[in-house]
Amino acid sequence: MPARRSPARRPTMKDIAQRAGVSESAVSFALNGRPGVSEITRDRVRRVADQLGWRPSTAARALSGEGAATVGLVVARPADTLGVDSFFLQLISGIQEVLAERHLGLLFQVVEDVDDECAVYRRWWAEHRVDGVLVVDPRTDDPRPDLLEELGLPAVVIGGVPDAVHPGMSTVWADDAGAMASVVDELYALGHRRIAHIAGLPGLAHTERRIRALRAEAERRGLSEVRSLTTDYSDAEGAAVTRRVLESEAPPTALVYDNDVMAVAGVATSTELGFLVPRDVSVVAWEDSALCRMVRPWLSALSRDTVEFGRTAARELTALLDGGPARTVQVPVPRLIERESTGPAAGV
């Protein structure tokens, strides 16, 4: 048997001091940007550190109060719904792109509910694990902002309520109400008067905004057969709710789904029940993705640059970590892309 190779030894400040010909305290001063050494010595120490591949220990940084060089993201959703959710994959891609530029790590955790999420924040704060957090899925009755303010953890709420003010907490949001209005405008112009909104998780701020917006648009036009039904975002519940509404006495002529996965499941269920898309029922997906163009008919969908959404949130958090003020930033309203799944209501 070949001998087991010993793990590589990480370079230390002592190694740098020996190579640079200075004391360990001088190395500490030089690498931490503190006074006590000349600029010539500081430059020599930094060059040697680069040559040896030395990097600061995040654990040591935390213990010294200098930060963990890491930000946190906790998602309180069923784990089995995240793997097929294109929104979160793209959002995290954008976040990671900005963090990588700053050499910051991302600590990611999935939990069962908001209580568990709050417990994670308390643990991270006590252990100095993160310098700040990105908060997703804001709730209508949300304990997290007050907790994070109490802990003093800088935070950016993604999709938050724009008028909510918390010191040290920024908000990056999209106009869900405006996006829903654009969908209803298009469906109404096509003659649709019975519209079902297959919504996401109840209690989420953006879910409630979309439901309120749909109700307001229906009232403005005098539409009485418009409703929203909440789900867990999964294809299974999307299919089950689709079956329920299409088997009702007065089935809707248009279905609006809060994500692409449910929309695809809805098309399959509609076809199984004998409803042709878009002849008998039109379908709109909230989040555009490659999945919307991998089915027949291609799905009309609301499109936005979700990767840039993530970049924006990460930039706002790094600005807070740099000492900047809390801000509210609005990203562009999602734009409806019309494809093959929407058409005139039957009989129009």
Side-chain angles (χ1 to χ4, degrees):
M1 293 288 291
R4 179 177 295 178
R5 182 179 299 175
S6 299
R9 189 177 70 86
R10 295 183 180 89
T12 65
M13 285 192 178
K14 182 176 181 180
D15 298 327
I16 298 170
Q18 291 175 345
R19 177 78 67 89
V22 297
S23 66
E24 289 184 50
S25 59
V27 171
S28 178
F29 292 151
L31 294 178
N32 289 302
R34 296 172 179 165
V37 293
S38 68
E39 287 304 312
I40 294 175
T41 299
R42 194 183 306 278
D43 289 343
R44 183 167 73 252
V45 167
R46 287 176 174 170
R47 283 198 306 273
V48 170
D50 288 340
Q51 291 167 3
L52 293 177
W54 178 88
R55 293 293 182 271
S57 163
T58 55
R61 285 166 58 98
L63 289 172
S64 66
E66 295 179 8
T70 302
V71 302
L73 172 61
V74 184
V75 178
R77 282 198 188 185
D80 57 356
T81 67
L82 289 177
V84 292
D85 194 323
S86 62
F87 173 81
F88 273 108
L89 295 176
Q90 293 179 61
L91 184 77
I92 292 173
S93 294
I95 291 169
Q96 185 58 42
E97 185 177 317
V98 172
L99 297 183
E101 293 171 357
R102 294 286 298 265
H103 304 292
L104 294 171
L106 178 64
L107 185 55
F108 178 71
Q109 190 161 340
V110 178
V111 296
E112 287 294 322
D113 53 36
V114 172
D115 288 341
D116 289 343
E117 183 175 343
C118 289
V120 170
Y121 292 145
R122 291 189 182 94
R123 185 172 70 253
W124 283 354
W125 171 79
E127 296 174 354
H128 304 273
R129 297 287 298 276
V130 298
D131 298 322
V133 295
L134 295 155
V135 180
V136 295
D137 287 342
R139 265 70 174 173
T140 51
D141 184 16
D142 202 328
R144 296 172 297 175
D146 288 340
L147 171 63
L148 293 169
E149 185 178 337
E150 174 190 331
L151 297 176
L153 269 177
V156 172
V157 179
I158 301 173
V161 181
D163 57 357
V165 178
H166 289 272
M169 183 172 296
S170 291
T171 296
V172 178
W173 71 289
D175 184 5
D176 294 286
M180 179 61 84
S182 71
V183 172
V184 177
D185 280 342
E186 177 59 25
L187 293 176
Y188 188 84
L190 290 170
H192 294 280
R193 302 297 183 264
R194 298 195 303 273
I195 303 171
H197 170 213
I198 315 301
L201 288 165
L204 297 187
H206 65 262
T207 300
E208 300 302 325
R209 283 199 298 266
R210 295 173 191 180
I211 291 173
R212 288 196 303 270
L214 177 60
R215 187 181 303 126
E217 292 299 315
E219 290 176 356
R220 186 165 69 87
R221 294 176 170 83
L223 304 179
S224 59
E225 297 182 85
V226 172
R227 55 179 170 157
S228 297
L229 302 97
T230 56
T231 70
D232 64 358
Y233 283 112
S234 70
D235 58 332
E237 285 207 10
V241 174
T242 300
R243 179 177 296 276
R244 190 191 318 159
V245 298
L246 290 182
E247 289 181 338
S248 63
E249 288 187 8
T253 62
L255 299 168
V256 181
Y257 294 86
D258 264 7
N259 70 9
D260 52 351
V261 174
M262 291 197 298
V264 170
V267 170
T269 302
S270 300
T271 303
E272 179 186 333
L273 294 174
F275 289 79
L276 296 182
V277 178
R279 189 195 69 184
D280 302 316
V281 61
S282 287
V283 171
V284 177
W286 197 274
E287 297 292 345
D288 191 22
S289 71
L291 191 59
C292 294
R293 302 181 296 279
M294 293 172 67
V295 295
R296 283 287 184 259
W298 281 16
L299 299 183
S300 297
L302 283 161
S303 177
R304 59 177 160 189
D305 190 344
T306 308
V307 174
E308 181 59 28
F309 200 3
R311 293 190 195 106
T312 301
R315 291 189 191 107
E316 290 304 312
L317 182 55
T318 57
L320 287 177
L321 297 180
D322 290 339
R327 304 198 314 155
T328 296
V329 178
Q330 182 178 358
V331 298
V333 179
R335 177 174 56 91
L336 179 61
I337 297 178
E338 297 177 59
R339 298 194 180 103
E340 301 165 349
S341 67
T342 48
V348 176

